[in-house]
Amino acid sequence: MAEKLTYNGKDITTDVTVIAAAVDLYTGSERSDVLELHFPEDEAWTTWGPQIDDVITYQRDGLDTGRLFIFDQELTSGGHVLYATTTPADMREIPRTKAWERAHLSQIGEEIAARNGLSFELMGLSDNYFEYIKQEVESDATFLAKIAMLEGAALVIFDGRIIMAKEKDLEAADPVAELDTNGSFIEIFDHSARAFGSSLISVGQFKGAYTANNGSSRKLTERPRNLQASSNAECMIYAAGLLRYKNKGLAGLKMTTTLSPEIPAGVTCTLGGSSVPSGWTGTLFVHHIRHEFHKNQSTVFLRKPLEGY
């Protein structure tokens, strides 16, 4: 796919020169995708005066960012840099307070999405019922991330859509690619000794527990604020979600390889070649990937799927 850039709905590909481009894609990392574009200093941007939340899209070599909102720009000695993300400024920055009673997840999500000019959808999740939940001096993005954590879900915002997807299902999907480790720079960290083996959630008169089959005896106990439950079963969902949130990022692998813009975040891959680190065979989950077109490289951040929850 040839490079294509639009600004507020207009194709400006031939009006500007992109001298460097990088995009960070995230799934389940409590961060939104970010596009970084570099232009010569005398480009049209300096006269157009782009504003916060102006909309751009970028397509290149199989990558399509969807609709992005400008959130920062700077003039440097080398030119003009624009930064854009999938989340509107108000959704990220404005603290809000509101309580929902006897509401389904879809009702809460659709109301917040509409307020921010977006749509909302569930992927693999039940439309769970909340007896009471309160957003208290929190941005909409922070509040939705909190709900996603309780539900064991990944929050993804892409092309004007807020998607709450069951993270366990994403991790169980078939691999989309085998990443060649030969010649790749690889870093590993492993703090799995700090993993929790079980969690207990108490909400008023109801309690829910979840135990992972990971060999850990560490116990996690929480009493969430601004939340009421209607059953022990509901609390058990929250207990599993909290345990997943605490454990999923304790071990990871980072590798830099040849540019692969066709690979997004939120998919699974395997490692191939002669340099696969011990213990990192099998299916791995891509929670973050950075494509740097001007360097012809991608940096992939992977973790092992959690077993059973």
Side-chain angles (χ1 to χ4, degrees), residues 99-104 107-108 129-133 228:
W100 281 269
E101 295 184 69
R102 302 179 183 86
H104 285 275
Q107 295 173 262
I108 299 170
Y129 173 84
F130 288 86
E131 183 70 23
Y132 174 92
I133 189 168
Q228 294 178 10

Side-chain angles (χ1 to χ4, degrees), residues 9-246:
K10 178 184 176 183
D11 187 342
I12 61 167
T13 310
T14 59
D15 300 328
V16 297
T17 304
V18 177
I19 58 177
V23 60
D24 285 277
L25 307 174
Y26 300 92
T27 293
S29 298
E30 296 186 59
R31 301 183 66 178
S32 299
D33 299 349
V34 173
L35 174 69
E36 176 183 334
L37 296 176
H38 294 245
F39 306 91
E41 188 174 1
D42 58 352
E43 283 281 355
W45 294 111
T46 56
T47 56
W48 290 348
Q51 302 295 310
I52 299 298
D53 272 355
D54 280 356
V55 176
I56 63 175
T57 67
Y58 188 66
Q59 299 174 7
R60 184 169 174 176
D61 298 337
L63 170 82
D64 186 347
T65 65
R67 184 157 53 112
L68 302 174
F69 303 91
I70 294 173
F71 72 90
D72 198 9
Q73 58 184 311
E74 60 180 331
L75 289 175
T76 68
S77 58
H80 192 132
V81 188
L82 281 183
Y83 302 92
T85 186
T86 53
T87 313
D90 285 359
M91 185 174 175
R92 300 188 312 270
E93 298 172 0
I94 294 180
R96 301 181 188 275
T97 297
K98 176 173 178 175
W100 281 269
E101 295 184 69
R102 302 179 183 86
H104 285 275
L105 176 55
S106 61
Q107 295 173 262
I108 299 170
E110 287 167 5
E111 180 177 329
I112 291 175
R115 180 162 64 220
N116 291 282
L118 308 174
S119 63
F120 180 81
E121 59 191 85
L122 298 174
M123 183 181 296
L125 282 178
S126 299
D127 191 9
N128 289 332
Y129 173 84
F130 288 86
E131 183 70 23
Y132 174 92
I133 189 168
K134 185 178 182 182
Q135 177 181 5
E136 186 170 21
V137 197
E138 299 169 287
S139 71
D140 287 340
T142 299
F143 180 62
L144 285 176
K146 181 172 70 176
I147 294 178
M149 179 269 291
L150 291 171
E151 296 285 336
L155 183 67
V156 180
I157 302 174
F158 174 75
D159 198 26
R161 299 152 59 206
I162 301 173
I163 304 166
M164 205 171 282
K166 190 172 184 178
E167 200 166 49
K168 179 182 173 182
D169 289 352
L170 297 180
E171 292 177 351
D174 292 336
V176 301
E178 180 182 88
L179 303 176
D180 187 1
T181 60
N182 294 328
S184 297
F185 177 74
I186 296 176
E187 293 180 89
I188 295 171
F189 69 89
D190 190 345
H191 302 294
S192 54
R194 296 181 353 213
F196 290 96
S198 63
S199 60
L200 173 66
I201 289 280
S202 298
V203 183
Q205 62 179 313
F206 299 106
K207 294 182 179 180
Y210 188 88
T211 300
N213 186 26
N214 61 5
S216 172
S217 61
R218 297 187 71 208
K219 298 179 180 180
L220 176 66
T221 302
E222 292 254 345
R223 293 179 178 271
R225 296 177 59 248
N226 298 322
L227 179 69
Q228 294 178 10
S230 58
S231 67
N232 291 334
E234 185 180 342
C235 288
M236 189 174 73
I237 293 173
Y238 302 155
L242 179 64
L243 193 64
R244 160 172 281 277
Y245 175 77
K246 294 289 187 179

